[in-house]
Structures are given as structure tokens and as C-alpha cells.
Amino acid sequence: MSNQNSSPLKILYAASEAQPLIKTGGLADVAGSLPGALKHFGHDIRVVLPAYPQAVERAIPIKQVASLKIAGSTHPVRILEGTLDGKVPLYLVDAPDFFNRPGNPYVDTHGNDWGDNPERFALFCRTIVSIALNHADLHWQPDIVHCNDWQTGLVAPLLAMEWNRPATVFTIHNLAYQGVYNHTTFERLRLPGSFWSVEGLEFHSNFSFIKGGIAFSDWVTTVSPTYAKEILTAEYGYGFEGLLQHRKERLSGILNGIDYAVWDPASDSALPQAYDANTFSLKRLNKVALQRELGLPEDENTFLLGHIGRLVEQKGVDMILDIIPGLVNQKNVQLVMLGTGDAQLEQRLRNAAAKHPERVAAYIGYDENLAHRIEAGCDCFIMPSRFEPCGLNQLYSLRYGAVPVVNQTGGLADTVIDASSKNLLNGIATGFSFDEPSADALWRCMERTFELRNRPSIWWEKLATTGMKQDFSWDASAEHYIDVYHMAMDNPAINPLKTA
Ligand code: ADP
Ligand code: GLC
């Protein structure tokens, strides 16, 4: 199905983070780049985000365009208008009591969830609803409201109460984060009483924001075809498998794209040395520069492994830590790790680096430019995620010729073609994959990387450059979203509270 010829749609795209304004993970990459791709197809898309201080600072020029009374806020909520990266119109929801604070969108400077997160994101949702119904003095009513993750989960249920609502699409980026709170919180938010029911937001005696998005939206999407199937099972569904099965006719898996204007080693200003698939050998200069930057012995012949990510159980960093004794036993292997998150994992990483200073470098923190240089400097990128809705780092790794080593789950299974003998001979292999999230399986897979590395270099170069030539740009996926928008508009879902 293709809608290239269909008339332009008006789309309100709502998320709690978007690059280059504010980012904690892949949601920001997607919310920062998919809207631009949709605009490129001629659609009138506008992004709405909370007015965090970093976002206000980076969205300039910015001006106030509306001031609204929203339930839950004692002060008027201002709507600021700016642009996302100079390209896509942007609305920032300015409620200083809720959003003008240090830390990141979800946690304080000590890493603890903000205690009033339900109030903060309920206010965000109510403001989105007001814009969606053209009640916000913006003289614009979208055809589609596209919401992302639990922070926007109340939008679809609130809109379902309205007769003149736009169509709603909800994208699950990660089902493990559900925005679950208790009954007292539910009452404090003054949500309609009918929402407290099994057909509504109630979830095992609590209530859940994400359930609102899943149960009430006209269409639900997630970020890879494999994850769309996985979440129908108890293993990956986190308690939502039944509801998702019930809605599976309205569930699509659309693979994330990436923005090659930001992630391309041929034009990346964060790199000491530009290169592409035709000048692959220049990549080694980035390796030596990275070794220097991170205090490792410099040697372009080292087999340099890397990992970047949030230090949480999902990402399987513990498995990488578990194989370090084996890695340091290999001749000329080094490992660089960039991440922040769980305090215990951070400490284990620091300990590993202190124990093997010539072999392991750990940078605990968040550094966007360093992330680019790690992709450019590494031979292999290790991503043993226990589950991975899509994953962007393996896509960046492919483009940077940092051969991905992945557990075969979610988007990792959809994007990396294993270097089996057959795939290598057919010239289609792009990485290494294993099929069980364990340190043993990861290690056996690493042994295959060592084996290929020891063959004449043409083998490795073919594998890496085949990955570099893959196209994971947004074009194809943006067209899928347009199809989904039409399906949502043409088939409004029945409000589940009315069928109860
Ligand atoms: P997730 O969204 O689950 O965190 P993704 O692979 O989709 O996983 O996206 C992660 C994004 O966050 C990538 O752009 C990655 O480079 C970035 N990232 C994660 N941790 C860090 C860090 N410590 N420093 C810099 N970038 C990071
Ligand atoms: C989530 C997922 C990740 C995905 C990202 C963007 O945080 O963990 O797999 O790539 O969202 O969709």
C-alpha cells in the first residue's frame, strides 16, 4: 500500500523527548526524525513536547502562542511555538511547576523518579487533548494524534469521550515502562470515574497510563515486526499480552528508521576521520584516536569491541561483564563501554576498567559525540539485549562498519543478518547473532567473531561494508505510518467503555 498521492494529513505528534532538544534514549531519536520524514512527504505535522528547560533553550526562536486553563494546574499553561531543528513546527507545553526543573524528563539529579510524574504527564496529556480538539487557540485541528509511550497514554481515553475527536495512533517503544500508579493517585488526577474499570485503565488493582494508549487508540503500533509478535506472548507482554491479542487486528510493527544526516561516517563532524564503504580502511584512524581519547594503548590492529546504552537489565550489560575474563585472555582485544544507569552495573564497569586498564575503558555518563566516535572506532558492537523493541545502536553500528553482535530478539532479529557460512558466501551477512540471552551464548558468538577476524582481512571488510550499504532511512517506514494513519481514520475504534 502506498499513499504518496493521497492528500496531506494534519498530524499532531506527541512525545516526552525528541532530539536535538532533549534525549534519554531511542524514543528521542525517533521523535526527532520521523516527523521530518513525514513532513518531507508533504504532511502538516506538528510536534508537541513538555517545555523542559533544555528544550526551551534549543527550540529558538520561540514565542508564546496560547495560554490555557488545564485541569490539574493552578496556573495557566502556556503553549510556546518553535521548531524542531529548524524544520518541523513544535509546540512546547509550558507549565513551569511541572517541567522547569533540573535532571532529566523522568528522574531527578539523583536518578529517582519525580514523585509527581503522574501529575506531570496527566497535564501533558490533557494539554495534547486540548490542542487535538482545537480548543487551544491555535486555529488548527489535526486529523491524527500520534502518541508515543506511557507518558502520552491518557490522550486516547480522554479523546474517546469526545464526539469530534481526531483519529488516534499509539506507538509502543518499550512495553516494560508502563506508568503504573495506585488508586489514590487515580483519584488525585481527577480522571473520569468510568476509567477505573477492567475495560478502562485498571491494571491489577492499580491503573496504567500505557493501558490507555493500548486499549483506546484507533491503531497501535510498535517499532519492529518481531517485537509486534513477541508482545503477544506472556514472556514479552508484561501483562498486556491478553489485551494486545484482543487488539491484534489493529496492531502493526513498523521498523524504526535512522537519520543519516546525523549518523553517517562520511559527514559526521564528531569524527576525527571521515570514511564510507569505499574508504573503509580509513576507519582505523578513528580507532587509534578513540584508544587515545579513552587512555587505551594505541594499536590499529587491536580488535576493538564496543557498547553504548542505558545500563539497565534489558540491555544485557551483565553478560558483557561476565565475558570480560575470556576477552582479556584473547590476544589484542580491547573493550570500550559508554553508559549510565543502574549504580551496581556502573560500579562493575568501573571495576573492570580498573582491573584491566590496558584492555577495558569505561566511560560512565552520557556523551552524544563520544557515542558517534565509539561507533566509528570499533570493529564490533556488542548488543546482547534480553529484549529490544527495535534498537537503534545496531543500525548506527551497521552504517559505521562496527559489525553488530546481537541477541536475536525484536528489532535486532529484523535488522542483522547472521554471518553463517552460507550468508557469508552469498554476500548478505551483516553481523553475528545468537539465540539465547546468556553469557555462554554470547561467548560462543564472540568466538565466531575471533575466527572471522583471523581470516584474510577481505572477509571482515566484506561483512562490515555489506552492513554499511544497508538502507535503514525513514522513507519506507514513514510510508507505513501514513498507511496506518489512514487505517485509523477509516476505522475508528469503539470506545471499550461503551462495549462493557
Ligand atoms: P533505548 O531507546 O532502549 O535506550 P536504542 O538503541 O533505541 O535504545 O537507542 C539508544 C540511543 O541512546 C542511541 O542513540 C544511543 O547512542 C543513545 N545512548 C544511550 N546511552 C548513551 C550514553 N551513555 N551516551 C550517549 N548516547 C547514549
Ligand atoms: C525504546 C526501545 C528501543 C527502541 C526505542 C525507539 O526505548 O528500548 O528498542 O529502539 O525505544 O523506538
Side-chain angles (χ1 to χ4, degrees):
M1 238 189 303
S2 167
N3 288 290
Q4 267 176 330
N5 297 325
S6 60
S7 54
L9 297 174
K10 286 184 275 178
I11 307 154
L12 181 64
Y13 189 93
S16 55
E17 50 182 279
Q19 264 293 73
L21 303 179
I22 178 122
K23 167 167 168 179
T24 71
L27 169 62
D29 289 349
V30 172
S33 54
L34 170 60
L38 290 164
K39 184 160 189 277
H40 183 72
F41 280 118
H43 299 285
D44 174 5
I45 179 159
R46 307 185 186 186
V47 172
V48 58
L49 225 68
Y52 313 109
Q54 305 91 322
V56 175
E57 202 177 296
R58 293 174 191 159
I60 47 168
I62 194 150
K63 62 172 193 265
Q64 180 180 331
V65 286
S67 174
L68 320 171
K69 184 82 198 82
I70 300 284
S73 172
T74 42
H75 305 289
V77 171
R78 300 190 310 156
I79 308 276
L80 311 178
E81 187 182 298
T83 68
L84 183 63
D85 215 10
K87 292 178 199 133
V88 178
L90 169 78
Y91 296 127
L92 293 178
V93 175
D94 187 25
D97 292 351
F98 290 118
F99 298 123
N100 187 5
R101 21 178 110 162
N104 87 16
Y106 323 114
V107 299
D108 63 21
T109 43
H110 304 292
N112 302 316
D113 280 2
W114 295 111
D116 57 353
N117 273 345
E119 280 81 0
R120 297 171 73 227
F121 291 108
L123 180 95
F124 182 47
C125 290
R126 285 186 160 119
T127 312
I128 296 166
V129 167
S130 181
I131 299 174
L133 295 171
N134 197 11
H135 291 169
D137 275 350
L138 298 173
H139 313 291
W140 182 78
Q141 176 151 27
D143 307 307
I144 287 281
V145 182
H146 184 164
C147 290
N148 293 275
D149 275 355
W150 75 262
Q151 296 84 358
T152 56
L154 302 182
V155 173
L158 290 169
L159 280 175
M161 322 267 291
E162 307 287 336
W163 65 272
N164 61 340
R165 67 175 181 88
T168 49
V169 171
F170 184 78
T171 297
I172 301 167
H173 293 264
N174 194 332
L175 199 50
Y177 301 94
Q178 307 182 338
V180 175
Y181 300 99
N182 60 20
H183 189 249
T184 316
T185 310
F186 178 84
E187 292 196 318
R188 227 174 38 235
L189 295 182
R190 294 181 183 280
L191 291 165
S194 59
F195 283 11
W196 189 271
S197 66
V198 181
E199 294 73 27
L201 306 188
E202 200 182 330
F203 187 61
H204 303 293
S205 310
N206 286 312
F207 84 103
S208 151
F209 273 59
I210 203 169
K211 188 176 176 193
I214 297 173
F216 287 79
S217 298
D218 295 312
W219 215 272
V220 179
T221 74
T222 187
V223 289
S224 70
T226 294
Y227 192 61
K229 290 192 203 114
E230 288 173 340
I231 55 179
L232 301 178
T233 66
E235 193 182 348
Y236 296 92
Y238 284 89
F240 282 110
E241 57 277 9
L243 176 60
L244 286 159
Q245 279 162 23
H246 174 65
R247 303 222 70 207
K248 85 172 187 287
E249 305 305 318
R250 291 169 181 268
L251 171 67
S252 308
I254 304 178
L255 198 66
N256 284 335
I258 61 173
D259 186 352
Y260 287 123
V262 179
W263 291 94
D264 185 355
S267 56
D268 187 334
S269 59
L271 309 188
Q273 175 63 55
Y275 64 101
D276 61 19
N278 297 321
T279 54
F280 180 70
S281 66
L282 293 175
K283 182 174 162 70
R284 70 187 195 287
L285 302 177
N286 289 304
K287 180 191 295 185
V288 176
L290 181 65
Q291 290 167 323
R292 192 176 318 130
E293 179 175 357
L294 295 178
L296 289 170
E298 294 167 38
D299 178 355
E300 65 179 51
N301 295 316
T302 301
F303 188 37
L304 185 58
L305 314 172
H307 177 83
I308 303 162
R310 295 179 294 115
L311 299 177
V312 292
E313 211 207 341
Q314 173 193 350
K315 301 291 175 184
V317 181
D318 51 306
M319 296 176 221
I320 304 181
L321 283 158
D322 287 347
I323 65 163
I324 287 179
L327 291 179
V328 298
N329 257 338
Q330 298 290 312
K331 238 175 81 210
N332 220 4
V333 171
Q334 292 172 344
L335 173 68
V336 300
M337 307 274 291
L338 164 63
T340 170
D342 179 84
Q344 271 186 356
L345 286 171
E346 288 186 353
Q347 195 50 46
R348 283 185 69 191
L349 276 180
R350 282 194 197 94
N351 293 346
K355 191 165 174 198
H356 309 287
E358 312 258 287
R359 298 302 201 97
V360 180
Y363 185 103
I364 308 298
Y366 191 94
D367 188 327
E368 192 75 22
N369 284 333
L370 179 56
H372 285 239
R373 288 194 291 276
I374 289 178
E375 295 287 5
C378 286
D379 296 297
C380 255
F381 190 93
I382 310 180
M383 211 160 160
S385 311
R386 293 188 161 81
F387 67 95
E388 196 62 79
C390 178
L392 298 172
N393 272 121
Q394 84 281 12
L395 301 181
Y396 301 145
S397 302
L398 286 170
R399 177 49 64 118
Y400 282 67
V403 176
V405 176
V406 303
N407 179 30
Q408 226 173 67
T409 183
L412 300 177
D414 291 336
T415 54
V416 175
I417 303 171
D418 183 57
S420 63
S421 314
K422 192 169 157 226
N423 290 340
L424 279 171
L425 286 172
N426 288 338
I428 58 166
T430 59
F432 294 87
S433 59
F434 53 102
D435 57 10
E436 165 206 298
S438 73
D440 280 349
L442 170 61
W443 178 252
R444 285 193 298 275
C445 196
M446 289 313 299
E447 288 181 320
R448 292 167 56 214
T449 70
F450 305 145
E451 193 271 321
L452 195 78
R453 186 71 185 176
N454 287 333
R455 289 195 205 173
S457 61
I458 186 161
W459 284 90
W460 191 269
E461 185 165 334
K462 171 71 183 159
L463 176 66
T465 54
T466 303
M468 293 178 81
K469 291 177 192 156
Q470 304 297 304
D471 182 2
F472 288 104
S473 58
W474 269 111
D475 287 0
S477 297
E479 281 209 54
H480 281 295
Y481 276 108
I482 296 164
D483 289 337
V484 162
Y485 295 158
H486 281 282
M487 293 192 287
M489 283 161 52
D490 295 346
N491 306 282
I494 297 168
N495 179 343
L497 297 178
K498 297 211 166 125
T499 57

